[in-house]
């Protein structure tokens, strides 16, 4: 199988680099300065064993590859807000022997949240969910890092909306040879919704900085409790904290990496890079959507969604809002829903 990594940033670049490092054929898809750096200097992957350089084919779209191969596996690793554009670009790509990528090839959605795979299923026949537990960072164009040890990450795989098949098992076997644990499960959404609850803190971190002092931690607990209430009201199952901890154990322990500090999660990185977009609409916004559908107030998640979107749109500095100010806004938002 050949892996085509659509969005070779922090998550996609690490997955692609690790697969390449274990001997698998990989094509990276990128754009802008990142594309140019990958093309000219290769993918530089900083991991606990050092900096690894992988000279891999890199393209900015399917046309550069000609016809796709019947054994291609597409890995969608763009942020959810970029999914539609990527899927509309790659879905119609022709596959050798006839048909299109959307008709014939498997698509694995290695993304936060749950919306990317729902969007994908509108276009692609064979969609797989991936619950991504992979601490990684886009360091600079051409350079990504992953500080996890002894494993780089844990990636639960399964068909969307449910089930397993031989393709999922083959991909999992390749990942497990590439510094990942990759359980194949029939209920991957249950793991993704559990991860979603953790990701509700991404916007909080992006707006105020590391969620470490007691006030920030207390606010996150309130945000997560709101999310749990919504999922319970919607009848959506999610893995418990205890179940997640039992699977993870100490398999992915972060270690310091020279020249690749771990500043924050994906939303924090979006603000730091000044991309102008952020994925809060599909994290805190997912809870807001479900809350409206099921009659559950979600003032805290709505507030964080709004603030994260504003910070991204106005290109405000990550972590620049004092926690005390956010706490005041949060209390006011709760009062206004009563």
């Amino acid at each position: 199988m050949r892996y085509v990594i659509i969005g070779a940033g922090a998550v996609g670049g690490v997955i692609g680099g690790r697969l390449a490092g274990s001997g698998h054929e990989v094509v990276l898809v990128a754009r802008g300065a990142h594309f140019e750096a990958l093309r000219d200097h290769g993918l530089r992957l900083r991991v606990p064993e050092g900096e690894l350089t992988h000279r891999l084919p890199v393209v900015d779209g399917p046309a550069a590859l000609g016809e796709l191969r019947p054994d291609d596996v597409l890995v969608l690793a763009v942020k959810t807000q970029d999914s539609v554009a990527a899927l509309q670009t790659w879905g119609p790509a022709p596959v050798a022997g006839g048909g299109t990528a959307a008709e014939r090839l498997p698509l694995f959605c290695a993304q936060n949240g749950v919306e990317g795979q729902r969007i994908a299923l509108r276009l692609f026949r064979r969609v797989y969910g991936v619950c991504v537990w992979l601490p990684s960072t886009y360091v600079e164009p051409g350079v990504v890092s992953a500080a996890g040890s002894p494993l780089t990450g844990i990636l639960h795989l399964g068909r969307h909306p449910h089930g397993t098949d031989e393709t999922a098992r083959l991909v999992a076997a390749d990942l497990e040879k590439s510094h990942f644990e990759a359980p194949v499960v029939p209920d991957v959404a249950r793991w993704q919704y559990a991860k979603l609850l953790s990701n509700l803190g991404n916007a909080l971190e992006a707006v105020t900085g590391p969620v470490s002092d007691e006030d920030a931690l207390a606010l996150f607990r309130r945000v997560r409790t709101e999310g749990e209430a919504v999922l319970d009201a919607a009848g959506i199952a999610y893995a418990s904290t205890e179940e997640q901890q039992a699977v993870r154990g100490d398999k992915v322990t972060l270690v310091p990496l020279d020249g690749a500090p771990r500043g924050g999660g994906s939303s924090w990185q979006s603000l730091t890079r000044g991309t102008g977009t952020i994925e809060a609409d599909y994290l805190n916004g997912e809870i807001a959507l479900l809350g409206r559908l099921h009659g559950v107030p979600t003032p805290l998640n709505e507030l964080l969604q709004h603030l994260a979107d504003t910070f991204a749109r106005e290109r405000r500095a990550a972590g620049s809002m004092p926690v005390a100010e956010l706490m005041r806004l949060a209390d006011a938002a709760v009062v206004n829903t009563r």
Side-chain angles (χ1 to χ4, degrees), residues 142-158:
V143 184
V144 296
S145 69
S149 180
L151 294 178
T152 298
I154 300 176
L155 308 172
H156 284 76
L157 310 176

Side-chain angles (χ1 to χ4, degrees), residues 112-114 195-207 219-220 222-224 226-227 230-231 267 278-292 296-309 326:
N112 283 333
V114 296
K195 176 77 181 324
L196 172 65
L197 291 173
S198 298
N199 286 147
L200 297 180
N202 286 20
L204 175 59
E205 177 189 56
V207 170
L219 181 55
F220 173 64
R222 292 168 63 192
V223 171
R224 182 186 172 102
E226 208 175 74
V230 165
L231 296 186
S267 296
I278 200 165
E279 60 187 343
D281 288 351
Y282 303 99
L283 301 177
N284 306 91
E286 179 70 24
I287 296 303
L289 169 63
L290 289 171
R292 291 164 190 152
V296 179
T298 59
L300 299 179
N301 279 279
E302 291 176 33
L303 172 64
L304 287 177
Q305 178 188 2
H306 168 72
L307 289 173
D309 286 343
L326 179 55

Side-chain angles (χ1 to χ4, degrees), residues 191 240-250:
W191 292 90
S240 68
T241 300
E242 294 73 21
E243 187 176 3
Q244 294 176 82
Q245 289 174 341
V247 169
R248 293 173 182 172
D250 56 359

